[in-house]
Amino acid sequence: MNQIYQYLPSSNVIFLSSMQHTTKKRTFEEASLVFQMSGVPHTIVFDALFARERLGNNSLGGGVCLPHCRLAGIERPMVALVLLPRPIPIDPMPIDTKPVDIFFFLVVPDTGNDEDYLGLLRECITMLQDRKFCEKLRRSENAVEVCSCVMNWVPPSSLINETQDEKLSQEWEQLNEEVEAAENKTNPVKAAPAVVAVENDLPHHE
């Protein structure tokens, strides 16, 4: 079982029509409109996604792209999946130069800590680099089948172990911080003695 499926309702899966003129911008707009149903204005999501896109290429190769960003004001991650009937070239060009037909959008809360959702991002990357999984997505005929593919995808054991190790490390750090805070509260640091100015008793030399 993976943690991605819980953030992808069938309403967030989009099949663009072959009759539409599809561009990268249009794909981002469609995803942003889906996120608006979660209460976030689509212009805010669109701007945040494109701002992150300008920092570097989010293509994973093999016709797959993972646009992602952090966003203040949301309480949980949001996912949208846009499937194109025909691959389109994107800029910047993917490393393998292949056009893209799978756009997987990931938006996470901006908590100020990059580690909070790093595990989720790694899981998304691993899933989308699974070529067999991506071919199942391409063969899906509706949103229910897409969500079923995502739900049934099992992360490799190496990723599960890595995620568990990170979680334990974070819990250990948090526990240490709580213990340190409790100790500081019980034994507050004594204030340093004030420095008092005194008169110099030494005789003055004329």
Side-chain angles (χ1 to χ4, degrees), residues 10 27 31-32 39 50-51 53 57 63 74 134 142 144 155 158 172 181 206:
S10 58
T27 305
S32 299
F50 246 99
E53 189 77 6
N57 197 322
I74 62 175
C134 291
N142 53 60
V144 174
S158 58
W172 180 253
E206 298 281 334

Side-chain angles (χ1 to χ4, degrees), residues 107-194:
V107 180
V108 301
D110 188 357
T111 63
N113 185 355
D114 292 341
E115 299 293 326
D116 285 345
Y117 294 101
L118 186 58
L120 178 60
L121 178 60
R122 286 177 178 170
E123 193 169 282
C124 289
I125 292 173
T126 304
M127 181 181 70
L128 295 170
Q129 287 180 331
D130 183 336
R131 297 298 177 240
K132 291 184 178 179
F133 168 79
C134 291
E135 287 308 314
K136 289 181 180 179
L137 288 184
R138 293 183 173 102
R139 291 196 300 269
S140 298
E141 297 183 355
N142 53 60
V144 174
E145 289 185 7
V146 169
C147 290
S148 178
C149 287
V150 174
M151 183 175 64
N152 293 328
W153 179 78
V154 179
S157 57
S158 58
L159 181 64
I160 294 175
N161 293 335
E162 182 180 345
T163 302
Q164 290 175 340
D165 289 343
E166 284 186 358
K167 184 177 180 181
L168 287 174
S169 177
Q170 290 175 359
E171 290 177 350
W172 180 253
E173 289 179 5
Q174 183 178 356
L175 179 60
N176 285 337
E177 291 175 358
E178 291 174 354
V179 170
E180 184 177 350
E183 289 178 348
N184 291 338
K185 187 176 181 179
T186 305
N187 303 307
V189 179
K190 293 182 180 180

Side-chain angles (χ1 to χ4, degrees), residues 32-81:
S32 299
L33 288 171
V34 165
F35 290 136
Q36 182 168 266
M37 292 189 294
S38 299
V40 185
H42 73 278
T43 52
I44 292 179
V45 184
F46 179 86
D47 291 344
L49 285 168
F50 246 99
R52 174 59 184 83
E53 189 77 6
R54 285 192 291 268
L55 296 178
N57 197 322
N58 287 307
S59 170
L60 302 178
V64 182
C65 191
L66 175 58
H68 60 282
C69 69
R70 295 190 297 269
L71 195 64
I74 62 175
E75 297 180 354
R76 66 194 304 266
M78 302 186 300
V79 170
L81 181 56

